[in-house]
Amino acid sequence: MSRLRIGVLFGGRSTEHEVSILSAQSIISAMDPDRFEAVPLYIDKSGRWLAGGSLKRLVSDDAAREYVYLPPDPTQRSLVPVQNGLQPQFPSPAGEGRQGGGLPPLDVIFPVFHGLNGEDGSIQGVLELANIPYVGAGVLGSALGLDKIYMKRAFAAVGLPIVEYLPITRRKFEQDPDGFITLVEQRIGYPCFSKFANSGSSVGTTKAHDRAELAAGLRLAATFDRKLLVERAVDARELEVSVLGNDEPQASVVGEVVPAHEFYDYEAKYLDEGSRLLIPAPIEAGVAEEVRAMALKAFQAVDAAGMARVDFFMERAGGRILLNELNTIPGFTRISMYPKLWEASGLAYPKLIERLVELAIERFNDKQRSQTAIDSRLLDPRDDG
């Protein structure tokens, strides 16, 4: 079988831009060169698409890259250079020539975004229009998987237990901040967490112990998004499950996060080596099976596909399991929880990448079976009226 050209799409206009670069770097380095030709595709913080050269050169060397775009043309399935007289240069697969110096079509796109403008369905919409197979959830699953408010509503609709929360728009909060804070105090109490809806990696998340901290946290969250929410703080252990598949997903072993900080914030996840990942989690077998079953139910509740990491709370008093959130494009470095859980389940990192590409092609082929047009007489040329 000829090598597949995999466009690894990373970066983006997101607060998690740097995390995305680390994930993409790990994925590209782990791809089997006999099966895949990795094509790094970088979206910078301004939203410009860049191609040409290695990932490192793309991110740091202006001279090594050119601007490109992906047209919403299902007949093309390839990048198009920006019309500035220059052409990005890709290495040709061994033994294969190139015609006219153009950009060869891509076989699969592997989006490696975290957060807005990439994990929220926006890039997935572009890829749907271009009719290119891509790894991970579609437009709906991605949008629900990032929007914490609508994600919780989807979970609640299928009977999954969630943490109590209160949503509000930025406009309404700014119109009456004291009124909303009073409502939070009446219904949720302290401590609690304030955050913005379309976030990941705990960016913009603040733990509040009193009114002043809650007000400051909500003001911070409001700088990132128009939708905000406050959640009850749970005294709990943090459990995570990796899910892999399309219509018949599978769940990994359960892992536990022991954060170095008061909660698993951005620094605890990526900068502080004091945080620990326990794989498998030291919990009873029956509890682990319950958590894995809930992870699969959550995956299907938001119409996810390909992959997702599902996060839970296990209350220290009583052991009740609460669903926290689902990430459709989880952190994907070699030390990230998603691949480490699959490694502990018997699927090594390079094989996990291969399986995700296979799932992308499987889902794409299934979608091609759906009829997109019908024969219609509405515009019958014989009708001269």
Side-chain angles (χ1 to χ4, degrees):
M1 183 180 68
S2 61
R3 289 199 304 170
L4 296 177
R5 287 176 53 80
I6 310 297
V8 181
L9 195 55
F10 65 98
R13 297 174 57 230
S14 166
T15 56
E16 299 171 84
H17 183 95
E18 288 75 15
V19 181
S20 171
I21 293 173
L22 295 177
S23 291
Q25 193 170 37
S26 293
I27 290 170
I28 291 172
S29 65
M31 280 188 175
D32 182 352
D34 292 329
R35 293 199 61 189
F36 306 122
E37 178 193 358
V39 180
L41 306 173
Y42 176 48
I43 299 183
D44 68 15
K45 290 186 176 182
S46 298
R48 298 172 299 182
W49 291 44
L50 304 160
S54 67
L55 180 149
K56 184 176 181 180
R57 292 182 68 193
L58 267 181
V59 173
S60 61
D61 186 358
D62 289 339
R65 60 197 190 186
E66 299 295 344
Y67 299 131
V68 297
Y69 69 95
L70 181 66
D73 181 350
T75 67
Q76 187 153 323
R77 292 178 62 177
S78 61
L79 299 165
V80 175
V82 173
Q83 297 301 313
N84 59 357
L86 297 175
Q87 188 88 270
Q89 297 297 309
F90 293 109
S92 297
E96 295 182 14
R98 293 181 353 150
Q99 297 181 353
L103 305 181
L106 298 166
D107 296 301
V108 177
I109 294 285
F110 198 135
V112 192
F113 294 107
H114 308 301
L116 280 175
N117 302 305
E119 194 179 353
D120 59 352
S122 55
I123 287 295
Q124 289 74 17
V126 172
L127 299 175
E128 289 286 349
L129 291 174
N131 203 37
I132 298 180
Y134 60 92
V135 171
V139 175
L140 176 64
S142 299
L144 287 175
L146 189 65
D147 190 307
K148 297 180 186 300
I149 295 172
Y150 283 90
M151 180 201 306
K152 290 177 183 293
R153 291 173 179 172
F155 292 158
V158 297
L160 288 165
I162 59 175
V163 179
E164 295 94 331
Y165 74 103
L166 282 173
I168 191 171
T169 63
R170 176 166 55 196
R171 179 180 294 274
K172 288 187 176 180
F173 170 69
E174 291 172 345
Q175 289 173 344
D176 186 12
D178 290 336
F180 180 65
I181 291 174
T182 298
L183 184 63
V184 170
E185 292 172 335
Q186 292 172 347
R187 295 191 183 180
I188 294 179
Y190 299 109
C192 59
F193 287 100
S194 61
K195 57 185 71 175
F196 60 101
N198 291 285
S199 67
S201 295
S202 300
V203 173
T205 298
T206 305
K207 189 172 185 179
H209 303 83
D210 54 41
R211 193 179 185 91
E213 288 184 349
L214 178 56
L218 285 166
R219 287 195 298 269
L220 172 64
T223 64
F224 292 103
D225 194 4
R226 57 172 290 273
K227 292 190 291 186
L228 320 173
L229 69 155
V230 175
E231 295 176 341
R232 177 174 67 88
V234 182
D235 182 17
R237 296 165 64 181
E238 299 185 33
L239 307 177
E240 298 186 350
V241 177
S242 294
V243 179
L244 179 69
N246 290 330
D247 293 333
E248 298 178 348
Q250 296 177 306
S252 71
V253 300
V254 182
E256 180 175 2
V257 176
V258 183
H261 297 182
E262 186 175 4
F263 69 98
Y264 203 35
D265 61 6
Y266 187 92
E267 288 195 5
K269 288 178 179 178
Y270 304 114
L271 302 176
D272 195 324
E273 297 180 356
S275 295
R276 292 183 295 142
L277 306 180
L278 306 181
I279 304 173
I283 56 178
E284 296 180 0
V287 175
E289 285 306 305
E290 177 188 359
V291 171
R292 293 174 74 242
M294 290 173 64
L296 294 177
K297 192 172 182 179
F299 187 87
Q300 293 171 322
V302 300
D303 193 32
M307 62 178 166
R309 194 194 69 238
V310 189
D311 302 345
F312 298 87
F313 295 126
M314 179 176 159
E315 290 184 326
R316 297 185 188 279
R320 182 171 62 138
I321 303 297
L322 297 169
L323 182 53
N324 178 23
E325 64 182 23
L326 176 148
N327 290 273
T328 56
I329 306 183
F332 219 102
T333 69
R334 286 184 177 272
I335 63 170
S336 297
M337 186 62 118
Y338 183 84
K340 286 180 72 68
L341 286 172
W342 277 118
E343 186 175 33
S345 303
L347 190 61
Y349 190 86
K351 292 298 182 182
L352 174 60
I353 294 170
E354 289 183 18
R355 181 59 184 144
L356 286 168
V357 171
E358 292 169 354
L359 288 167
I361 296 172
E362 172 192 292
R363 187 166 179 268
F364 175 81
N365 289 339
D366 182 60
K367 186 170 183 180
Q368 301 313 297
R369 298 171 55 200
S370 302
Q371 188 170 322
T372 59
I374 61 172
D375 293 329
S376 173
R377 298 180 58 187
L378 290 177
L379 301 178
D380 193 332
R382 294 172 296 179
D383 185 358
D384 59 3

